[in-house]
Amino acid sequence: MEQDGPLKVVVGWLDAANRSDAERLLELSHADIEVVGPRGSGFGHQLLVAWLSRAGLTVDTLRAFVRGDSVVVEQHGVWRSIDTGEVTGERDLASRFRVEGGKVMQFQRYDTLDAALGDAGLDYADDVQRND
């Protein structure tokens, strides 16, 4: 699934997030990264590190969709308690990324793949597996 360009950046970003490797995550994120959540948007590395420290989320990427600087990934997410490591929930979800200059500029998680694709201006024809 890895390829050059924006998808490679996103794959590295997700790997760093899954490993809670804040240093690598910041290397792959623009200083003014926008993190979009259910309560609105926030910006910057400090917000990203705070999110990483409390999310307790690891994701397995199932599919990826790419066009230009936009990447959407369909994922299976597992949330774990920060204190105990116990699984507290899991479900399928999607994430949308905008990559510029080899860094993630924007990240947003979605409940459905269709919503993420729609916001990114992508569709099922942008599936990288279909384009290989």
Side-chain angles (χ1 to χ4, degrees):
M1 182 175 293
E2 257 188 84
Q3 69 181 32
D4 289 338
L7 182 57
K8 185 174 183 177
V9 173
V10 168
V11 167
W13 195 95
L14 289 167
D15 178 61
N18 278 341
R19 293 182 294 106
S20 294
D21 182 346
E23 184 176 331
R24 181 68 178 142
L25 191 67
L26 295 180
E27 287 174 6
L28 293 169
S29 301
H30 189 277
D32 291 324
I33 184 172
E34 179 181 17
V35 178
V36 183
R39 288 174 246 142
S41 295
F43 296 87
H45 279 181
Q46 185 175 4
L47 175 72
L48 187 60
V49 170
W51 168 79
L52 183 65
S53 70
R54 72 176 180 278
L57 172 66
T58 57
V59 293
D60 180 31
T61 298
L62 307 172
R63 294 164 67 185
F65 303 81
V66 181
R67 186 185 317 152
D69 63 0
S70 294
V71 177
V72 170
V73 289
E74 181 180 32
Q75 304 162 301
H76 183 76
V78 176
W79 286 263
R80 295 183 182 278
S81 165
I82 298 297
D83 297 327
T84 66
E86 182 179 324
V87 173
T88 59
E90 66 179 282
R91 67 182 175 86
D92 290 340
L93 54 106
S95 298
R96 178 180 60 86
F97 296 85
R98 193 181 68 201
V99 177
E100 292 180 12
K103 296 191 181 272
V104 173
M105 283 290 301
Q106 186 180 56
F107 162 67
Q108 183 170 1
R109 197 179 73 219
Y110 291 81
D111 290 335
T112 68
L113 176 60
D114 288 337
L117 289 171
D119 278 1
L122 303 179
D123 59 41
Y124 286 92
D126 295 307
D127 186 332
V128 295
Q129 295 298 321
R130 291 177 49 136
N131 295 326
D132 287 346

